Every structure is written in structure tokens, then in C-alpha cells.
């Protein structure tokens, strides 16, 4: 059987070429390219780790800055609240003093007005008494035909006005 005799020659040639191709692939790719790819992957991993560390540091710095800002803002807010409270107290005191001044002025004006009203009332009462006395004097002289002097008519009118 000649086919079996050819097997050893055919396989020897194929084994040789397979070893040659795999050897070439091993040395070119395995020894040449893979270390470069691995070095690139390691460099990339190292760069990513450094970037993450820098980002974490920046985040911590930003958090610290934010906390300091919040403290300053809180202190400023408290200070402004104190200023507002002080202004309110001063405004209330000023309003009270102005109100006291106005009340004093109003009290004086009211007393003056009451005095004028009392004077006007007294004057009006005097005029009413005079008119009533004159009317009583004329009524008595017409009805009774008696002449009454003005002083007694005035006394009678005063007695009726105070008694009523």
C-alpha cells in the first residue's frame, strides 16, 4: 500500500511547516507584540489609578472648600441676622420715642381743644342765659303785664338751667 508509505513523508513535511509557522507566530507575536501590549495595558491601568487618586484628592479638597464656605456663609448669615435684630430694636425705640412725642403733642392739642370747647360752651351758655332771660322778661311783661328787671330774670333762668 503505497498510501501508507507516503504518510510519513507527507506528515513530516506538514509537521515541519506547522512548527515553523507556530514558532514564527510565537516569537513574533508572543515575544515581540504581547509584551508591548501588556506594557500598554499596565501603563493605562497605572494612569487610570493615578487619575482616580487625583480625582479623589480634588474631591476631598472641594469638599473641604465647600465646608469652609458653608461655615463662612453661616457666620455671615448669623451676623446679618444680628444686624437686622439690632436695627429692629433701634427702629422700635425710635418709633416709641416718636410715638411718645406725638402723644405728648396730641395730649397738649387735646387739652387746648378741650379748653376752647369749654370756653365756647361757657360762652354759649352765657348767651343762652342772656337770650332766655330777655325772652322770659318779655314773656312775663306781655302775659302778666309785670315789669321784671334783667338781673332777676337771669337768676330765674340760671336756677331753671341748673335745676333741670
Amino acid at each position: 500500500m503505497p498510501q501508507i508509505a507516503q504518510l510519513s513523508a507527507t506528515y513530516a513535511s506538514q509537521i515541519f511547516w506547522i512548527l515553523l509557522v507556530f514558532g514564527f507566530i510565537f516569537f513574533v507575536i508572543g515575544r515581540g507584540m504581547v509584551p508591548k501590549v501588556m506594557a500598554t495595558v499596565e501603563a493605562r491601568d497605572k494612569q487610570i489609578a493615578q487619575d482616580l487618586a487625583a480625582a479623589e484628592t480634588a474631591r476631598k479638597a472641594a469638599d473641604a472648600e465647600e465646608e469652609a464656605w458653608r461655615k463662612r456663609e453661616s457666620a455671615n448669615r448669623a451676623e446679618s441676622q444680628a444686624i437686622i435684630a439690632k436695627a429692629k430694636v433701634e427702629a422700635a425705640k425710635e418709633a416709641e420715642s416718636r410715638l411718645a412725642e406725638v402723644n405728648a403733642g396730641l395730649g397738649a392739642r387735646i387739652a387746648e381743644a378741650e379748653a376752647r370747647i369749654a370756653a365756647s360752651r361757657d360762652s354759649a351758655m352765657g348767651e343762652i342765659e342772656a337770650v332766655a332771660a330777655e325772652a322770659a322778661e318779655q314773656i312775663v311783661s306781655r302775659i302778666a303785664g309785670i315789669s321784671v328787671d334783667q338781673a332777676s330774670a337771669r337768676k330765674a333762668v340760671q336756677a331753671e338751667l341748673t335745676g333741670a
Side-chain angles (χ1 to χ4, degrees):
M1 290 219 275
Q3 291 98 354
I4 294 179
Q6 289 178 347
L7 275 175
S8 67
T10 306
Y11 279 131
S13 160
Q14 288 179 353
I15 290 174
F16 171 75
W17 285 108
I18 284 176
L19 288 177
L20 185 68
V21 169
F22 280 130
F24 177 76
I25 290 173
F26 176 76
F27 284 107
V28 170
I29 293 176
R31 296 284 185 189
M33 292 175 70
V34 170
K36 289 180 185 176
V37 170
M38 293 305 291
T40 303
V41 169
E42 288 176 12
R44 191 186 86 202
D45 289 344
K46 185 177 179 183
Q47 184 65 37
I48 289 172
Q50 288 174 350
D51 289 347
L52 287 174
E56 182 65 24
T57 303
R59 186 186 62 78
K60 286 180 182 178
D63 287 345
E65 184 64 30
E66 180 185 11
E67 184 64 27
W69 176 82
R70 286 185 192 275
K71 286 180 182 177
R72 284 192 313 267
E73 189 65 24
S74 178
N76 290 341
R77 189 175 294 118
E79 183 180 344
S80 66
Q81 291 295 329
I83 291 171
I84 290 170
K86 182 180 176 184
K88 282 182 180 179
V89 167
E90 290 175 1
K93 286 180 182 178
E94 183 178 334
E96 284 181 26
S97 67
R98 288 185 67 207
L99 186 61
E101 290 175 13
V102 169
N103 282 340
L106 285 177
R109 288 178 65 188
I110 288 172
E112 181 183 313
E114 286 177 349
R116 282 192 312 233
I117 290 171
S120 296
R121 185 183 63 231
D122 292 343
S123 171
M125 284 302 282
E127 288 178 19
I128 289 173
E129 284 178 11
V131 169
E134 186 178 323
E137 182 182 345
Q138 287 178 2
I139 290 172
V140 168
S141 72
R142 281 192 185 167
I143 292 179
I146 302 173
S147 173
V148 179
D149 64 20
Q150 190 173 2
S152 18
R154 189 173 277 251
K155 274 186 181 178
V157 168
Q158 283 177 351
E160 283 301 315
L161 287 177
T162 57

